[in-house]
């Protein structure tokens, strides 16, 4: 590990879910940013002390974030069975 991955359970999943629902990339990023900032859920994901340590001043919702979100969560979501 040379650097921390920009993969976050809640924001990355939100991005991948919205993308699979057919939303455009910009709208998906807005939804991921809302989750990252805690606008609707109350507790922002960025408030995690480890994220703040790993990414003190970085814009974490970048191209790497998008690529990893789709690679990990997109794959998982596409293989989930809906009950």
């Amino acid at each position: 590990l040379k650097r921390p991955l920009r993969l976050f359970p809640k924001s990355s999943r939100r991005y991948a879910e919205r993308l699979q629902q057919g939303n455009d990339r910009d709208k998906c990023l807005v939804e991921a940013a809302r989750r990252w900032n805690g606008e609707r859920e109350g507790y922002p994901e960025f408030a995690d002390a480890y994220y703040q340590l790993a990414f003190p001043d970085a814009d974490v919702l970048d191209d790497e974030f998008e690529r990893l979100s789709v690679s990990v969560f997109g794959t998982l979501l596409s293989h989930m069975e809906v009950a």
Side-chain angles (χ1 to χ4, degrees):
L1 179 65
K2 293 182 180 183
R3 59 187 172 86
L5 295 176
R6 294 173 191 265
L7 182 67
F8 312 102
K10 297 173 184 173
S11 301
S12 294
R13 180 176 176 166
R14 173 79 47 90
Y15 178 81
E17 284 175 337
R18 297 303 186 262
L19 204 59
Q20 283 191 344
Q21 292 170 354
N23 294 304
D24 65 51
R25 177 184 166 269
D26 291 333
K27 185 173 182 177
C28 296
L29 280 173
V30 167
E31 286 296 316
R34 285 183 178 150
R35 183 62 196 103
W36 179 252
N37 295 317
E39 290 179 20
R40 293 186 182 162
E41 287 79 12
Y43 184 77
E45 193 168 22
F46 81 84
D48 183 292
Y50 291 107
Y51 293 154
Q52 291 178 7
L53 180 64
F55 308 104
D57 298 320
D59 177 18
V60 296
L61 305 182
D62 60 6
D63 292 337
E64 181 184 7
F65 164 81
E66 291 181 76
R67 184 177 48 78
L68 289 169
S69 297
V70 170
S71 179
V72 174
F73 283 98
T75 303
L76 288 171
L77 292 168
S78 68
H79 287 88
M80 289 177 61
E81 291 184 23
V82 178

Coordinates of all heavy atoms in Angstrom, one line a residue:
L1 N 0.8 -1.2 0.0 CA 0.0 0.0 0.0 C 0.9 1.2 0.0 O 1.6 1.5 0.9 CB -0.9 0.0 1.2 CG -1.9 1.2 1.4 CD1 -2.9 1.2 0.2 CD2 -2.6 1.1 2.7
K2 N 0.8 2.0 -1.1 CA 1.6 3.2 -1.2 C 0.8 4.4 -0.8 O 1.3 5.4 -0.3 CB 2.1 3.4 -2.6 CG 3.1 2.3 -2.9 CD 3.7 2.5 -4.3 CE 4.7 1.5 -4.7 NZ 5.3 1.7 -5.9
R3 N -0.5 4.3 -0.9 CA -1.4 5.4 -0.6 C -2.8 4.9 -0.3 O -3.2 3.8 -0.9 CB -1.4 6.5 -1.7 CG -1.8 6.0 -3.0 CD -1.7 7.1 -4.1 NE -1.9 6.5 -5.4 CZ -3.1 6.5 -5.9 NH1 -4.2 6.9 -5.3 NH2 -3.3 5.9 -7.1
P4 N -3.6 5.6 0.5 CA -4.9 5.1 0.7 C -5.8 5.1 -0.5 O -5.7 6.1 -1.3 CB -5.4 6.0 1.9 CG -4.6 7.2 1.8 CD -3.3 6.8 1.2
L5 N -6.7 4.2 -0.6 CA -7.6 4.2 -1.7 C -8.8 5.1 -1.5 O -9.3 5.2 -0.3 CB -8.2 2.7 -2.0 CG -7.2 1.7 -2.4 CD1 -7.9 0.3 -2.5 CD2 -6.6 2.0 -3.7
R6 N -9.3 5.7 -2.5 CA -10.5 6.6 -2.4 C -11.7 5.8 -2.6 O -12.5 5.9 -3.6 CB -10.3 7.7 -3.4 CG -9.2 8.6 -3.1 CD -9.0 9.6 -4.2 NE -7.7 10.3 -4.0 CZ -7.5 11.5 -3.4 NH1 -8.6 12.1 -2.9 NH2 -6.4 12.0 -3.3
L7 N -11.9 4.9 -1.7 CA -13.1 4.0 -1.7 C -13.8 4.1 -0.3 O -13.1 3.8 0.7 CB -12.7 2.5 -2.0 CG -13.8 1.5 -2.1 CD1 -14.7 1.8 -3.3 CD2 -13.2 0.1 -2.1
F8 N -15.0 4.5 -0.3 CA -15.7 4.8 1.0 C -17.0 4.1 0.9 O -17.8 4.2 0.0 CB -15.9 6.3 1.1 CG -14.7 7.1 0.9 CD1 -14.5 7.8 -0.3 CD2 -13.6 7.1 1.8 CE1 -13.3 8.5 -0.6 CE2 -12.5 7.8 1.5 CZ -12.3 8.5 0.3
P9 N -17.3 3.3 2.0 CA -18.5 2.4 1.9 C -19.8 3.1 1.5 O -20.5 2.6 0.7 CB -18.6 1.9 3.3 CG -17.3 2.1 3.9 CD -16.6 3.2 3.2
K10 N -20.1 4.2 2.1 CA -21.4 4.9 1.9 C -21.4 5.7 0.6 O -22.3 5.6 -0.2 CB -21.8 5.7 3.1 CG -22.0 4.8 4.4 CD -22.2 5.7 5.6 CE -22.2 4.7 6.8 NZ -22.3 5.5 8.0
S11 N -20.4 6.5 0.5 CA -20.4 7.4 -0.7 C -20.1 6.7 -2.0 O -20.8 6.9 -3.0 CB -19.3 8.5 -0.5 OG -19.6 9.3 0.6
S12 N -19.3 5.7 -1.9 CA -19.0 4.9 -3.1 C -20.2 4.1 -3.5 O -20.5 3.9 -4.7 CB -17.8 4.0 -2.9 OG -16.6 4.7 -2.7
R13 N -20.8 3.5 -2.5 CA -22.0 2.7 -2.9 C -23.1 3.6 -3.5 O -23.8 3.2 -4.5 CB -22.6 2.0 -1.6 CG -23.8 1.2 -2.0 CD -24.3 0.4 -0.8 NE -25.6 -0.3 -1.2 CZ -26.1 -1.2 -0.6 NH1 -25.6 -1.7 0.5 NH2 -27.2 -1.8 -1.0
R14 N -23.3 4.8 -2.9 CA -24.3 5.7 -3.4 C -24.0 6.1 -4.9 O -24.9 6.1 -5.7 CB -24.3 7.0 -2.5 CG -25.2 8.1 -3.0 CD -26.7 8.0 -2.7 NE -27.0 7.6 -1.4 CZ -27.2 8.4 -0.3 NH1 -27.1 9.7 -0.5 NH2 -27.5 7.9 0.8
Y15 N -22.7 6.3 -5.2 CA -22.3 6.7 -6.5 C -22.7 5.5 -7.5 O -23.3 5.7 -8.5 CB -20.9 7.0 -6.6 CG -20.4 7.3 -8.0 CD1 -20.6 8.6 -8.5 CD2 -19.8 6.3 -8.7 CE1 -20.1 8.8 -9.8 CE2 -19.3 6.6 -10.0 CZ -19.5 7.8 -10.6 OH -19.1 8.1 -11.8
A16 N -22.3 4.3 -7.1 CA -22.5 3.1 -8.0 C -24.0 2.8 -8.1 O -24.4 2.5 -9.2 CB -21.7 1.9 -7.4
E17 N -24.7 3.0 -7.1 CA -26.2 2.7 -7.2 C -26.8 3.7 -8.1 O -27.6 3.3 -9.0 CB -26.9 2.9 -5.8 CG -26.6 1.7 -4.9 CD -27.2 2.0 -3.5 OE1 -27.4 3.1 -3.1 OE2 -27.5 1.0 -2.8
R18 N -26.5 4.9 -8.0 CA -27.1 6.0 -8.9 C -26.7 5.8 -10.3 O -27.5 6.0 -11.2 CB -26.8 7.4 -8.4 CG -27.3 7.7 -7.0 CD -28.8 7.6 -6.9 NE -29.3 8.1 -5.7 CZ -29.6 7.3 -4.6 NH1 -29.5 6.0 -4.7 NH2 -30.1 7.8 -3.5
L19 N -25.5 5.4 -10.5 CA -25.0 5.1 -11.9 C -25.7 3.9 -12.5 O -26.2 4.0 -13.7 CB -23.5 4.9 -11.8 CG -22.7 5.1 -13.1 CD1 -22.9 6.6 -13.5 CD2 -21.3 4.8 -12.9
Q20 N -26.0 2.9 -11.7 CA -26.7 1.7 -12.2 C -28.2 2.0 -12.5 O -28.8 1.4 -13.3 CB -26.6 0.5 -11.3 CG -25.2 -0.1 -11.4 CD -25.2 -1.5 -10.6 OE1 -26.1 -1.7 -9.8 NE2 -24.2 -2.3 -10.9
Q21 N -28.7 3.0 -11.8 CA -30.1 3.4 -12.1 C -30.2 4.3 -13.3 O -31.3 4.7 -13.7 CB -30.6 4.2 -10.9 CG -30.7 3.4 -9.6 CD -31.0 4.3 -8.4 OE1 -31.0 5.5 -8.4 NE2 -31.3 3.6 -7.3
G22 N -29.1 4.5 -14.0 CA -29.1 5.2 -15.3 C -28.9 6.7 -15.2 O -29.1 7.5 -16.2
N23 N -28.6 7.3 -14.0 CA -28.3 8.7 -13.9 C -27.0 9.0 -14.5 O -26.1 8.2 -14.6 CB -28.2 9.1 -12.4 CG -29.6 8.9 -11.7 OD1 -30.6 9.4 -12.1 ND2 -29.6 8.1 -10.6
D24 N -26.9 10.3 -14.9 CA -25.6 10.7 -15.6 C -24.5 10.9 -14.5 O -24.8 11.0 -13.3 CB -25.8 12.0 -16.4 CG -26.2 13.2 -15.6 OD1 -25.5 13.5 -14.6 OD2 -27.1 13.9 -16.0
R25 N -23.3 10.9 -14.9 CA -22.1 10.9 -14.0 C -22.2 12.1 -13.1 O -21.9 11.9 -11.9 CB -20.9 11.0 -14.9 CG -19.6 11.1 -14.2 CD -18.4 11.2 -15.1 NE -17.3 11.6 -14.4 CZ -16.9 12.9 -14.3 NH1 -17.6 13.9 -14.8 NH2 -15.8 13.2 -13.6
D26 N -22.5 13.3 -13.6 CA -22.5 14.5 -12.7 C -23.6 14.4 -11.6 O -23.3 14.7 -10.5 CB -22.8 15.7 -13.6 CG -21.6 16.1 -14.5 OD1 -20.5 15.7 -14.1 OD2 -21.8 16.7 -15.5
K27 N -24.7 13.9 -11.9 CA -25.8 13.7 -10.9 C -25.3 12.7 -9.9 O -25.6 12.8 -8.7 CB -27.1 13.3 -11.5 CG -28.2 13.2 -10.6 CD -29.6 13.0 -11.2 CE -30.6 13.0 -10.2 NZ -32.0 12.8 -10.8
C28 N -24.7 11.6 -10.3 CA -24.2 10.6 -9.4 C -23.1 11.2 -8.4 O -23.1 10.9 -7.2 CB -23.6 9.4 -10.2 SG -24.7 8.5 -11.2
L29 N -22.3 12.0 -9.0 CA -21.3 12.7 -8.1 C -21.9 13.6 -7.1 O -21.4 13.7 -5.9 CB -20.3 13.5 -9.0 CG -19.2 12.6 -9.6 CD1 -18.3 13.5 -10.6 CD2 -18.3 12.0 -8.6
V30 N -22.9 14.3 -7.5 CA -23.7 15.2 -6.6 C -24.3 14.3 -5.4 O -24.2 14.7 -4.2 CB -24.8 16.0 -7.3 CG1 -25.7 16.6 -6.3 CG2 -24.1 17.0 -8.2
E31 N -24.9 13.2 -5.7 CA -25.4 12.3 -4.7 C -24.4 11.8 -3.8 O -24.6 11.7 -2.6 CB -26.2 11.2 -5.4 CG -27.5 11.6 -6.0 CD -28.5 12.1 -4.9 OE1 -28.6 11.5 -3.8 OE2 -29.1 13.1 -5.1
A32 N -23.2 11.4 -4.4 CA -22.1 10.9 -3.6 C -21.6 12.0 -2.6 O -21.3 11.7 -1.5 CB -21.0 10.3 -4.4
A33 N -21.5 13.2 -3.1 CA -21.0 14.3 -2.3 C -22.0 14.6 -1.2 O -21.6 14.9 -0.1 CB -20.9 15.6 -3.2
R34 N -23.3 14.5 -1.5 CA -24.3 14.7 -0.4 C -24.1 13.6 0.7 O -24.2 13.9 1.9 CB -25.7 14.6 -1.0 CG -26.1 15.8 -1.7 CD -27.5 15.7 -2.2 NE -27.9 16.9 -2.9 CZ -28.7 17.0 -3.9 NH1 -29.4 15.9 -4.3 NH2 -29.0 18.1 -4.5
R35 N -23.8 12.4 0.3 CA -23.6 11.4 1.3 C -22.3 11.6 2.1 O -22.2 11.5 3.3 CB -23.5 10.0 0.7 CG -23.4 8.8 1.6 CD -24.6 8.9 2.6 NE -24.4 8.1 3.8 CZ -24.0 8.6 5.0 NH1 -23.9 9.9 5.2 NH2 -23.9 7.8 6.0
W36 N -21.2 12.0 1.3 CA -19.9 12.3 1.9 C -20.1 13.4 3.0 O -19.5 13.4 4.0 CB -18.9 12.6 0.8 CG -17.6 13.0 1.3 CD1 -17.0 14.2 1.4 CD2 -16.6 12.1 1.8 NE1 -15.7 14.2 1.9 CE2 -15.5 12.9 2.2 CE3 -16.5 10.7 2.1 CZ2 -14.3 12.3 2.7 CZ3 -15.4 10.2 2.6 CH2 -14.3 11.0 2.9
N37 N -20.8 14.4 2.6 CA -21.0 15.6 3.5 C -22.1 15.4 4.5 O -22.3 16.3 5.4 CB -21.3 16.9 2.6 CG -20.1 17.2 1.8 OD1 -18.9 17.2 2.2 ND2 -20.3 17.5 0.5
G38 N -22.9 14.4 4.4 CA -23.9 14.1 5.4 C -25.1 15.0 5.3 O -25.8 15.3 6.3
E39 N -25.4 15.5 4.1 CA -26.5 16.5 4.0 C -27.9 15.9 4.3 O -28.7 16.6 4.8 CB -26.5 17.1 2.6 CG -25.3 17.9 2.3 CD -25.3 18.5 0.9 OE1 -26.3 18.5 0.2 OE2 -24.2 18.9 0.5
R40 N -28.1 14.7 4.0 CA -29.4 14.1 4.3 C -29.4 13.1 5.4 O -30.4 12.9 6.1 CB -29.9 13.4 3.0 CG -30.2 14.3 1.9 CD -30.8 13.6 0.7 NE -31.0 14.6 -0.4 CZ -31.2 14.2 -1.6 NH1 -31.3 12.9 -1.9 NH2 -31.4 15.1 -2.5
E41 N -28.3 12.5 5.7 CA -28.2 11.4 6.7 C -27.8 11.9 8.1 O -27.9 11.2 9.1 CB -27.3 10.3 6.3 CG -27.8 9.4 5.2 CD -27.7 10.1 3.8 OE1 -27.0 11.1 3.7 OE2 -28.3 9.6 2.9
G42 N -27.3 13.2 8.2 CA -27.0 13.7 9.4 C -25.5 13.5 9.8 O -24.9 14.4 10.3
Y43 N -25.0 12.3 9.7 CA -23.6 12.1 10.0 C -22.8 12.0 8.8 O -22.9 11.0 8.0 CB -23.5 10.8 10.8 CG -22.0 10.6 11.3 CD1 -21.5 11.2 12.4 CD2 -21.2 9.7 10.6 CE1 -20.2 11.0 12.8 CE2 -19.9 9.5 11.1 CZ -19.4 10.1 12.1 OH -18.1 9.9 12.5
P44 N -21.9 13.0 8.5 CA -21.1 12.9 7.3 C -20.1 11.8 7.3 O -19.4 11.6 8.3 CB -20.5 14.3 7.3 CG -20.5 14.8 8.7 CD -21.7 14.1 9.3
E45 N -19.9 11.2 6.2 CA -18.9 10.1 6.1 C -17.5 10.7 6.3 O -16.6 10.1 6.9 CB -19.0 9.4 4.8 CG -18.2 8.1 4.8 CD -18.6 7.2 3.6 OE1 -19.1 7.8 2.5 OE2 -18.3 6.0 3.7
F46 N -17.3 11.9 5.9 CA -15.9 12.5 6.0 C -15.6 12.8 7.4 O -14.4 13.1 7.7 CB -15.8 13.8 5.2 CG -16.4 15.0 5.8 CD1 -15.7 15.8 6.7 CD2 -17.7 15.4 5.5 CE1 -16.2 16.9 7.4 CE2 -18.3 16.6 6.1 CZ -17.5 17.3 7.1
A47 N -16.5 12.8 8.4 CA -16.2 13.0 9.8 C -15.4 11.9 10.4 O -14.9 12.1 11.5 CB -17.5 13.3 10.5
D48 N -15.3 10.8 9.8 CA -14.5 9.7 10.3 C -13.0 10.2 10.5 O -12.4 10.7 9.5 CB -14.5 8.5 9.3 CG -13.8 7.3 9.8 OD1 -12.5 7.4 9.9 OD2 -14.4 6.3 10.2
A49 N -12.5 10.0 11.6 CA -11.1 10.5 11.9 C -10.1 9.9 11.0 O -9.1 10.6 10.7 CB -10.8 10.2 13.4
Y50 N -10.2 8.7 10.6 CA -9.3 8.0 9.7 C -9.3 8.6 8.3 O -8.3 8.8 7.7 CB -9.5 6.5 9.7 CG -9.2 5.8 11.0 CD1 -10.2 5.4 11.8 CD2 -7.8 5.7 11.4 CE1 -9.9 4.7 13.0 CE2 -7.5 5.1 12.6 CZ -8.5 4.6 13.4 OH -8.2 4.0 14.6
Y51 N -10.5 9.0 7.9 CA -10.6 9.6 6.6 C -9.9 11.0 6.6 O -9.3 11.5 5.7 CB -12.0 9.8 6.1 CG -12.7 8.5 5.8 CD1 -14.1 8.3 5.9 CD2 -12.0 7.4 5.4 CE1 -14.7 7.1 5.6 CE2 -12.6 6.2 5.1 CZ -13.9 6.1 5.2 OH -14.6 4.9 4.9
Q52 N -10.1 11.7 7.7 CA -9.5 13.0 7.9 C -8.0 13.0 7.9 O -7.3 13.8 7.4 CB -10.1 13.7 9.1 CG -11.5 14.1 9.0 CD -12.1 14.8 10.2 OE1 -11.4 15.0 11.2 NE2 -13.4 15.0 10.2
L53 N -7.5 11.9 8.5 CA -6.1 11.7 8.6 C -5.5 11.4 7.3 O -4.5 11.9 6.8 CB -5.7 10.6 9.6 CG -4.3 10.3 9.8 CD1 -3.5 11.5 10.4 CD2 -4.1 9.1 10.8
A54 N -6.2 10.5 6.5 CA -5.7 10.0 5.3 C -5.8 11.0 4.1 O -5.0 11.1 3.2 CB -6.4 8.7 4.9
F55 N -6.9 11.8 4.2 CA -7.2 12.8 3.2 C -7.5 14.2 3.8 O -8.6 14.7 3.7 CB -8.4 12.4 2.4 CG -8.3 11.0 1.8 CD1 -9.0 9.9 2.5 CD2 -7.6 10.7 0.7 CE1 -9.0 8.6 2.0 CE2 -7.5 9.4 0.2 CZ -8.2 8.4 0.9
P56 N -6.5 14.8 4.4 CA -6.7 16.1 5.1 C -7.2 17.2 4.3 O -8.1 18.0 4.7 CB -5.4 16.4 5.7 CG -4.4 15.7 4.9 CD -5.1 14.5 4.3
D57 N -6.7 17.4 3.1 CA -7.1 18.5 2.2 C -7.5 18.2 0.8 O -7.7 19.0 0.0 CB -5.9 19.5 2.1 CG -5.5 20.1 3.5 OD1 -6.4 20.4 4.3 OD2 -4.3 20.2 3.7
A58 N -7.7 16.9 0.6 CA -7.9 16.4 -0.8 C -9.4 16.4 -1.1 O -10.3 16.2 -0.3 CB -7.4 15.0 -0.9
D59 N -9.7 16.6 -2.4 CA -11.0 16.4 -2.9 C -11.1 14.9 -3.2 O -10.5 14.5 -4.2 CB -11.2 17.3 -4.2 CG -12.6 17.0 -4.8 OD1 -13.5 16.5 -4.2 OD2 -12.7 17.4 -6.0
V60 N -11.7 14.2 -2.4 CA -11.7 12.7 -2.5 C -12.6 12.2 -3.6 O -12.5 11.0 -4.0 CB -12.0 12.0 -1.2 CG1 -11.0 12.4 -0.2 CG2 -13.4 12.4 -0.7
L61 N -13.6 12.9 -4.0 CA -14.6 12.4 -5.0 C -14.1 12.8 -6.4 O -14.7 13.5 -7.1 CB -16.0 13.0 -4.8 CG -16.5 12.8 -3.3 CD1 -17.9 13.3 -3.2 CD2 -16.5 11.3 -3.0
D62 N -13.0 12.1 -6.8 CA -12.3 12.4 -8.1 C -12.4 11.2 -9.0 O -13.2 10.3 -8.8 CB -10.8 12.8 -7.8 CG -10.1 11.7 -7.1 OD1 -10.6 10.6 -6.9 OD2 -8.9 11.9 -6.8
D63 N -11.6 11.2 -10.0 CA -11.6 10.1 -11.0 C -11.3 8.8 -10.4 O -11.9 7.8 -10.7 CB -10.7 10.4 -12.2 CG -11.1 11.6 -13.0 OD1 -12.3 11.9 -13.0 OD2 -10.2 12.1 -13.7
E64 N -10.4 8.7 -9.5 CA -10.0 7.5 -8.8 C -11.2 7.0 -8.0 O -11.5 5.8 -8.0 CB -8.8 7.6 -7.9 CG -8.4 6.3 -7.2 CD -7.3 6.5 -6.2 OE1 -6.8 7.6 -6.0 OE2 -6.8 5.5 -5.7
F65 N -11.9 7.9 -7.3 CA -13.1 7.5 -6.5 C -14.2 6.9 -7.4 O -14.7 5.8 -7.1 CB -13.7 8.8 -5.8 CG -15.1 8.6 -5.4 CD1 -15.3 8.0 -4.2 CD2 -16.1 9.1 -6.1 CE1 -16.6 7.8 -3.7 CE2 -17.4 8.9 -5.7 CZ -17.7 8.3 -4.5
E66 N -14.4 7.5 -8.6 CA -15.4 7.0 -9.5 C -15.0 5.6 -10.0 O -15.8 4.7 -10.0 CB -15.5 7.9 -10.7 CG -16.2 9.3 -10.3 CD -16.3 10.1 -11.5 OE1 -17.2 9.9 -12.4 OE2 -15.5 11.1 -11.7
R67 N -13.8 5.5 -10.4 CA -13.3 4.2 -11.0 C -13.4 3.1 -9.9 O -13.9 2.0 -10.2 CB -11.8 4.3 -11.4 CG -11.3 3.1 -12.1 CD -9.9 3.4 -12.6 NE -9.0 4.0 -11.7 CZ -8.4 3.3 -10.7 NH1 -8.6 2.1 -10.5 NH2 -7.6 4.0 -9.9
L68 N -12.9 3.3 -8.7 CA -13.0 2.3 -7.7 C -14.4 2.0 -7.2 O -14.8 0.8 -7.0 CB -12.2 2.8 -6.4 CG -10.7 2.8 -6.6 CD1 -10.0 3.5 -5.5 CD2 -10.2 1.4 -6.8
S69 N -15.3 3.0 -7.2 CA -16.7 2.8 -6.8 C -17.4 1.9 -7.8 O -18.1 1.0 -7.4 CB -17.4 4.2 -6.7 OG -16.9 5.0 -5.7
V70 N -17.2 2.1 -9.1 CA -17.8 1.3 -10.1 C -17.2 -0.1 -10.1 O -17.9 -1.1 -10.1 CB -17.6 1.9 -11.5 CG1 -18.0 1.0 -12.6 CG2 -18.4 3.2 -11.5
S71 N -15.9 -0.2 -9.9 CA -15.2 -1.5 -9.9 C -15.6 -2.4 -8.8 O -15.9 -3.6 -9.0 CB -13.7 -1.3 -9.9 OG -13.0 -2.5 -9.9
V72 N -15.7 -1.8 -7.6 CA -16.1 -2.6 -6.4 C -17.6 -2.7 -6.2 O -18.2 -3.8 -6.2 CB -15.4 -2.0 -5.1 CG1 -15.8 -2.8 -3.9 CG2 -13.9 -2.1 -5.3
F73 N -18.2 -1.6 -6.0 CA -19.6 -1.6 -5.7 C -20.5 -1.9 -6.9 O -21.6 -2.5 -6.7 CB -20.1 -0.3 -5.0 CG -19.6 -0.2 -3.6 CD1 -18.5 0.4 -3.2 CD2 -20.4 -0.9 -2.6 CE1 -18.1 0.4 -1.9 CE2 -20.0 -0.9 -1.2 CZ -18.8 -0.2 -0.9
G74 N -20.1 -1.4 -8.0 CA -20.9 -1.7 -9.2 C -21.0 -3.2 -9.5 O -22.0 -3.8 -9.8
T75 N -19.9 -3.9 -9.3 CA -19.8 -5.3 -9.5 C -20.7 -6.0 -8.4 O -21.5 -6.9 -8.7 CB -18.4 -5.8 -9.4 OG1 -17.6 -5.2 -10.4 CG2 -18.3 -7.3 -9.6
L76 N -20.5 -5.6 -7.1 CA -21.3 -6.2 -6.1 C -22.8 -6.0 -6.3 O -23.6 -6.9 -6.2 CB -20.9 -5.6 -4.7 CG -19.6 -6.0 -4.1 CD1 -19.3 -5.2 -2.9 CD2 -19.6 -7.5 -3.8
L77 N -23.2 -4.8 -6.6 CA -24.6 -4.5 -6.8 C -25.2 -5.2 -8.0 O -26.4 -5.6 -7.9 CB -24.8 -3.0 -7.0 CG -24.5 -2.1 -5.7 CD1 -24.4 -0.7 -6.1 CD2 -25.5 -2.4 -4.7
S78 N -24.5 -5.4 -9.0 CA -25.0 -6.1 -10.2 C -25.2 -7.6 -9.9 O -25.9 -8.3 -10.7 CB -24.1 -5.9 -11.4 OG -22.8 -6.6 -11.2
H79 N -24.6 -8.1 -8.9 CA -24.7 -9.5 -8.6 C -25.7 -9.8 -7.4 O -25.8 -11.0 -7.0 CB -23.4 -10.2 -8.3 CG -22.5 -10.3 -9.6 ND1 -21.7 -9.3 -10.0 CD2 -22.5 -11.3 -10.4 CE1 -21.2 -9.7 -11.1 NE2 -21.6 -10.9 -11.4
M80 N -26.2 -8.8 -6.8 CA -27.1 -8.9 -5.7 C -28.5 -9.4 -6.2 O -29.0 -8.9 -7.2 CB -27.2 -7.6 -4.9 CG -26.0 -7.3 -4.1 SD -26.2 -5.7 -3.2 CE -27.5 -6.0 -2.2
E81 N -29.1 -10.3 -5.4 CA -30.5 -10.7 -5.7 C -31.4 -9.8 -4.9 O -31.2 -9.5 -3.8 CB -30.7 -12.1 -5.3 CG -29.9 -13.1 -6.1 CD -30.2 -14.5 -5.8 OE1 -31.3 -14.8 -5.2 OE2 -29.4 -15.4 -6.1
V82 N -32.5 -9.4 -5.6 CA -33.5 -8.6 -5.0 C -34.5 -9.5 -4.4 O -35.1 -10.3 -5.1 CB -34.1 -7.6 -6.0 CG1 -35.2 -6.7 -5.3 CG2 -33.0 -6.7 -6.5
A83 N -34.8 -9.4 -3.1 CA -35.8 -10.3 -2.5 C -37.2 -9.8 -2.7 O -37.5 -8.7 -2.9 CB -35.5 -10.4 -1.0

